[in-house]
């Protein structure tokens, strides 16, 4: 199988989670497309996304352009996250202590409207979408049928995959599948899915390490640091512990990918977040940040990533456009999706 790949190059796009801040990512990709005249989805052989980054990945697989994805965030974001003022947020705080901040129905309806009846198996791109199994306490990764062992997820509706990866604890109720699997936001363990995507490329897809390049895009975020008091403090001093854990995971994934691929094979986009940009509010400044960042790095992005054309993706379980369940000779694997 290695002989089939050795003369090719492969590119991966990895999109971080970040709630409404993912509007930056959509804006960045839209500006890159507008400036270069190149369709971003045509340049990547594998796309991974977590949470809101997972919604963007799914939308790219469904055929939407980044400019259309940005419009989704701008148009439907206020419905999904209706609390605009600080006073409205303060009044919701008592409820937030004992229940999720938002109901699930609006998010579900927006995703159903956007993706329609498309299934994961109908994606035009190879996709890897992390979620977290809240009942078993284990990772759960939705994957398109890009390998003969991936025999179940291709039947799952895209909107369900999107809800599962974006069901951020405390913000939305968990996603519960028809079979009773209870999933929450993939950011629990892979808010930066770059290493997840790279493992997929080098492992399942058997791409040679030196043939792989990876573009990783972070949602804007505040620098994380701890005061001296945190080192000896208790619960109150470490009340921002979740942010530290997510920042640590992201940093580890970034450093691991850079170590494996080298600076020539790995490139990450990171910008600071505006001070008044909460996770559940889309604002014009996020769109402006994306446009500006694209302007600043187009001369790096274009020669490194936009001159590559991904080979056509043919799902393993598709014959004449019809998805089929093909049983492999060596049987199923409970861990394969």
């Amino acid at each position: 199988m290695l002989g089939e790949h050795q003369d090719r190059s492969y590119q991966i796009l990895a999109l971080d989670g970040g709630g409404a801040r993912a509007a930056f990512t959509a804006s960045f990709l839209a500006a890159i497309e507008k400036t270069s005249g190149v369709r971003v989805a045509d340049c990547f052989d594998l796309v991974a996304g977590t949470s809101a980054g997972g919604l963007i990945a799914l939308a790219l697989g469904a055929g939407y352009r980044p400019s259309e994805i940005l419009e989704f965030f701008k148009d439907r974001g206020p419905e999904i996250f209706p609390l605009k003022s600080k006073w409205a947020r303060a009044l919701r705080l008592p409820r937030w202590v004992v229940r999720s901040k938002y109901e699930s129905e609006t998010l579900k309806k927006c995703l159903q409207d956007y993706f329609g009846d498309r299934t994961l198996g109908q994606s035009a791109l190879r996709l890897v979408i992390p979620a977290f199994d809240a009942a078993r306490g284990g990772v759960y990764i939705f994957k398109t049928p890009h390998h003969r062992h991936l025999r179940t997820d291709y039947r799952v509706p895209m909107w369900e995959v999107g809800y599962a990866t974006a069901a951020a604890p405390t913000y939305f109720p968990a996603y519960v599948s028809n079979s009773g699997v209870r999933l929450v936001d993939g950011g629990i363990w892979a808010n930066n899915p770059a290493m997840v995507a790279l493992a997929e490329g080098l492992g399942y897809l058997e791409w040679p390490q030196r043939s792989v390049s990876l573009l990783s895009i972070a949602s804007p975020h505040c620098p994380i640091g701890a005061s001296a008091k945190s080192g000896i403090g208790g619960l109150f001093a470490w009340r921002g512990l979740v942010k530290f854990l997510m920042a640590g995971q992201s940093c580890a994934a970034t450093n691991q990918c850079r170590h494996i691929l080298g600076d020539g094979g790995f490139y990450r986009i990171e910008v600071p977040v505006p001070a008044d940009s909460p996770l559940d509010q889309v604002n014009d400044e996020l769109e402006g940040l994306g446009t500006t960042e694209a302007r600043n790095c187009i001369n790096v992005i274009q020669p490194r990533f936009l001159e590559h054309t991904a080979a056509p993706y043919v799902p393993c379980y598709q014959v004449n456009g019809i998805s089929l369940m093909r049983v492999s000779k060596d049987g199923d694997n409970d861990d394969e999706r």
Side-chain angles (χ1 to χ4, degrees), residues 185-246:
D185 195 315
I188 290 290
W189 69 281
N191 199 56
N192 173 356
M195 191 60 203
V196 177
L198 183 57
E200 190 75 9
L202 300 183
Y204 254 114
L205 297 170
E206 299 184 29
W207 295 341
Q209 179 178 327
R210 292 185 179 181
S211 72
V212 176
S213 297
L214 194 157
L215 173 61
S216 173
I217 304 178
S219 296
H221 58 276
C222 297
I224 298 295
S227 66
K229 292 182 179 179
S230 297
I232 58 173
L235 183 62
F236 183 78
W238 282 101
R239 59 191 180 280
L241 181 60
V242 171
K243 293 181 180 179
F244 278 87
L245 295 175
M246 294 181 72

Side-chain angles (χ1 to χ4, degrees), residues 308-330:
H308 170 84
T309 300
Y313 160 51
V314 179
C316 290
Y317 304 116
Q318 197 171 81
V319 177
N320 297 325
I322 301 175
S323 294
L324 301 175
M325 174 65 76
R326 188 178 72 184
V327 179
S328 63
K329 293 181 180 180
D330 52 354

